[in-house]
Amino acid sequence: NGRIIAKQGSNGNRGWSLGLEGNGVAVFQIAKDGRTIVGVDSSVLGTGQWVHLTGVYEVGQALRIYVSGGNES
């Protein structure tokens, strides 16, 4: 998989990443406590066009991924 942007925490700390899988799906993942990873995926992205990806984490409520402004999760 290809990370677009990420922040990795040291052992026991939180981290997150926004990336693109080999199958063309965007993924947003959060390591909530350094051990438990949760994530959401988009639908398969088209080729030959620019897209804007946004990952949103609302603590205790939601984990969302947006593709060009539309909610995919």
Side-chain angles (χ1 to χ4, degrees), residues 5-56:
I5 189 168
K7 181 197 177 291
Q8 300 301 321
S10 58
N11 286 342
N13 292 320
R14 289 194 251 187
W16 54 267
S17 69
L18 180 66
L20 186 62
E21 297 292 327
N23 61 359
V25 171
V27 62
F28 179 50
Q29 297 176 321
I30 296 282
K32 297 184 338 178
D33 59 11
R35 292 179 300 275
T36 306
I37 297 174
V38 295
V40 291
D41 299 339
S42 73
S43 56
V44 176
L45 303 178
T47 58
Q49 62 185 0
W50 286 94
V51 296
H52 181 133
L53 296 176
T54 305
V56 176

Side-chain angles (χ1 to χ4, degrees), residues 49-70:
Q49 62 185 0
W50 286 94
V51 296
H52 181 133
L53 296 176
T54 305
V56 176
Y57 177 51
E58 296 177 51
V59 179
Q61 294 184 24
L63 185 64
R64 296 185 181 100
I65 190 167
Y66 293 84
V67 177
S68 297

